Amino acid sequence: MATQDTMVQVVGLSKSFGDHRVLNNINLEVKSGEVVVMIGASGSGKTTLLRCMNLLTIPDAGEVHINGEPLGRLNKRGKFVPVKDRDLDRRRAAMGMVFQRFNLFPHMSVIDNVMLGPCMVRRMSRPDARTLAEELLTKVGLADKFDSYPARLSGGQQQRVAIARSLAMSPKLMLFDEPTSALDPELVGEVLETMRQLAADGMTMVIVTHEMDFAREVADRVLFLHDGDILEEGPPERIFSAPRNERTRNFLRRTLRSGPAVCPASALGVRQ
Amino acid sequence: MGYSFNFSVVTAHWGYLASGLGTTLIVTLSALAGGLVIGLLIGVLRLARSPYLAAVGWAYVAVLRNTPALVQLIWVYYCLPILTGIEFNTTVSCIIALALHSGAYIGEIVRGGILSIDAGQTEAGRTIGMSHFQVLRKIILPQAIRRMLAPLVNEAVTILKFSALVSVLGVADLMYQAQTLATTTFRPLEIFTFVAVEYLVLCAIFSSLAKVVERRFAAAD
């Protein structure tokens, strides 16, 4: 960890969709430069927690601070109210987000996708934005795709454009929502490689993923979520090789190709 | 049938009939232009986060879609000057009425077009720090307009046909010229058949123009 300042601070965060409680009084701190990976079954609340960090989902109660600035406040009835739109836009601009379904803008070329944020939000001149976009696209290995349209790219290439689009805003924090889940297996590697580079560059990252090998390799800390609670957290070596909680053990046994060390050999029989 | 058609009445009054064509086109195109502006506003209003603004949009559509166009036309012509104190000439009144009318339908087209765009597009725009309005202008509308094209052509053809209603107020459009000519020459069959064909050809031209634009858009994808 480069520094010890806090990048993300989540305090007492709760969220329900109707009667279904998705997040249960969550507390979480992410240090600057730290890579945190959230794992857990679908429906465990990990994506919702990630989306609460930039208010794509608005929590019911609790606090979210990004780089020391609150994203909202509690009103008299204890309900979460986001900060003013303009302040929220400014804070969001300092956070990148990469989606499972890429969400590139299909009516714009690759380079325009990357230039849009710098031009519209940072008010950068077009030549400057173009230089920046070319640099970032080259970095993610797409130097030959500037003028292509997203529909002409493979899923892996689209996801790398999406990463470049986020990086164009010089974010202090990157959120990844299952970035490889919509990809064909042979395209997963190229996206993970890009993320690996980012982590090596010292980017603060919060990642929701099902790629356990990647989590083990890149994460500074792994969180295991179950039914809206963080049941277990710790360094990847410990979580993957010696999970303390039984639910974590069960989850890893079902997910990992080669079961964790503590798994009895018989667990291999239930893998898919 | 013992009736023998004699279309010489049409050729003899060619210039007179054609003079209505210009008025029909002016009324139609101006009403459409106005309708597009109103429709864009109403469509966006209906999707506003504020429930009050959304209610205004909803009420507009509810009133304009559930009253006959002919009633709206006559209401704008007789009542609007009394309420506002501003006198319009008849043609302008008609254009205003048809624009208000088509605005309601175009509003629904705009709303549908915006809603058809995946929510992930808005999320992607907002996460790079773009404002609500910037996302609408740069990301949502450019994509939505392509999907709105076909229903908009439909609406254009509808307004072209509705424009015949303005003859009721004495605006000298295609229909009005035809009616006048029919009463003076006693040849309504030939004249109204000819007018029907004129509307048919105009509408067909509108539709084929749209096909060209649509193909251009499709090529850009």
Side-chain angles (χ1 to χ4, degrees):
Chain A
M1 262 174 266
T3 62
Q4 287 301 307
D5 3 348
T6 302
M7 182 58 69
V8 182
Q9 189 173 23
V10 171
V11 184
L13 193 81
S14 297
K15 177 69 186 176
S16 300
F17 291 120
D19 288 338
H20 179 57
R21 202 162 166 90
V22 188
L23 291 176
N24 213 350
N25 196 27
I26 297 274
N27 296 299
L28 171 66
E29 202 174 308
V30 180
K31 302 278 181 214
S32 188
E34 195 180 16
V35 177
V36 171
V37 174
M38 300 199 274
I39 60 173
S42 51
S44 59
K46 51 197 192 313
T47 288
T48 306
L49 176 54
L50 190 79
R51 288 169 60 90
C52 282
M53 291 181 194
N54 64 2
L55 296 198
L56 283 185
T57 297
I58 299 184
D60 296 333
E63 296 171 35
V64 185
H65 299 265
I66 302 293
N67 207 14
E69 294 183 307
L71 292 189
R73 59 181 178 80
L74 295 178
N75 68 10
K76 281 177 194 144
R77 281 171 294 166
K79 195 170 166 292
F80 189 94
V81 184
V83 295
K84 275 186 301 192
D85 268 7
R86 190 194 295 190
D87 294 327
L88 183 57
D89 291 343
R90 196 168 49 75
R91 277 160 221 191
R92 276 177 174 157
M95 288 184 260
M97 178 142 187
V98 175
F99 301 88
Q100 185 177 350
R101 308 261 1 148
F102 329 131
N103 295 347
L104 293 181
F105 308 131
H107 58 301
M108 294 180 193
S109 65
V110 162
I111 193 115
D112 284 334
N113 263 274
V114 180
M115 288 167 65
L116 187 65
C119 289
M120 297 293 290
V121 181
R122 294 256 185 270
R123 301 277 164 211
M124 202 181 269
S125 74
R126 277 191 72 84
D128 287 353
R130 182 154 186 117
T131 311
L132 173 70
E134 286 177 353
E135 194 180 295
L136 288 168
L137 285 168
T138 307
K139 187 177 166 188
V140 299
L142 294 170
D144 54 337
K145 299 290 182 193
F146 293 165
D147 298 313
S148 303
Y149 279 81
R152 301 243 175 258
L153 303 183
S154 73
Q157 290 170 330
Q158 290 192 49
Q159 195 60 296
R160 284 184 282 148
V161 175
I163 292 173
R165 178 175 67 182
S166 288
L167 292 178
M169 299 302 292
S170 325
K172 296 196 172 72
L173 163 71
M174 287 283 286
L175 308 174
F176 291 86
D177 183 12
E178 304 197 24
T180 58
S181 296
L183 295 177
D184 291 337
E186 77 271 19
L187 301 176
V188 169
E190 59 192 68
V191 172
L192 295 184
E193 182 49 39
T194 305
M195 292 169 64
R196 213 171 268 134
Q197 265 181 37
L198 265 183
D201 291 348
M203 176 64 76
T204 313
M205 294 159 77
V206 182
I207 305 167
V208 171
T209 188
H210 293 292
E211 298 290 333
M212 295 302 157
D213 291 336
F214 176 75
R216 187 176 216 151
E217 177 199 333
V218 160
D220 294 311
R221 187 152 49 110
V222 174
L223 312 180
F224 173 71
L225 275 81
H226 179 82
D227 282 350
D229 292 303
I230 299 177
L231 278 195
E232 186 161 2
E233 63 171 290
E237 314 82 62
R238 193 187 64 66
I239 297 279
F240 286 108
S241 52
R244 286 174 192 149
N245 191 296
E246 197 193 327
R247 291 194 197 279
T248 318
R249 271 202 294 278
N250 286 336
F251 173 77
L252 290 173
R253 190 182 301 149
R254 273 183 281 115
T255 314
L256 290 180
R257 276 161 201 275
S258 50
V262 290
C263 278
S266 63
L268 294 174
V270 292
R271 74 188 165 143
Q272 292 168 2
Chain B
M1 265 200 320
Y3 193 83
S4 61
F5 279 89
N6 181 358
F7 277 99
S8 67
V9 63
V10 171
T11 44
H13 299 91
W14 192 259
Y16 184 75
L17 281 170
S19 72
L21 190 66
T23 309
T24 290
L25 282 177
I26 287 170
V27 168
T28 303
L29 295 176
S30 314
L32 267 176
L36 277 172
V37 174
I38 296 170
L40 192 63
L41 189 77
I42 294 297
V44 171
L45 217 54
R46 288 209 58 185
L47 296 170
R49 277 179 297 176
S50 149
Y52 301 105
L53 289 180
V56 170
W58 176 86
Y60 181 90
V61 173
V63 171
L64 272 289
R65 281 213 310 189
N66 294 316
T67 50
L70 185 57
V71 173
Q72 293 164 11
L73 205 67
I74 291 171
W75 194 90
V76 168
Y77 180 66
Y78 287 110
C79 307
L80 205 59
I82 297 170
L83 293 176
T84 62
I86 308 167
E87 288 276 352
F88 303 103
N89 79 37
T90 321
T91 311
V92 173
S93 293
C94 290
I95 291 171
I96 292 173
L98 285 175
L100 290 172
H101 177 83
S102 73
Y105 285 88
I106 293 175
E108 288 299 276
I109 294 171
V110 169
R111 174 170 167 269
I114 291 174
L115 285 177
S116 78
I117 304 299
D118 184 69
Q121 292 288 305
T122 304
E123 293 187 348
R126 298 307 300 269
T127 50
I128 53 176
M130 292 171 75
S131 70
H132 202 69
F133 181 70
Q134 284 176 327
V135 167
L136 190 66
R137 188 163 63 93
K138 286 286 182 178
I139 299 172
I140 304 301
L141 283 179
Q143 295 182 63
I145 280 168
R146 286 168 206 208
R147 299 189 188 178
M148 281 151 43
L149 219 57
L152 279 178
V153 171
N154 241 341
E155 181 59 20
V157 170
T158 303
I159 291 303
L160 176 60
K161 290 184 287 182
F162 268 9
S163 76
L165 291 174
V166 305
S167 61
V168 172
L169 294 179
V171 174
D173 73 330
L174 263 182
M175 186 63 188
Y176 183 84
Q177 301 296 71
Q179 278 172 331
T180 319
L181 198 62
T183 49
T184 51
T185 61
F186 306 107
R187 284 277 169 193
L189 254 72
E190 288 84 353
I191 290 165
F192 287 121
T193 306
F194 176 72
V195 162
V197 171
E198 270 189 298
Y199 277 110
L200 181 92
V201 169
L202 275 181
C203 289
I205 291 172
F206 264 47
S207 303
S208 57
L209 273 181
K211 281 259 162 52
V212 173
V213 179
E214 223 167 330
R215 213 170 293 144
R216 181 88 38 93
F217 265 135
D221 274 339

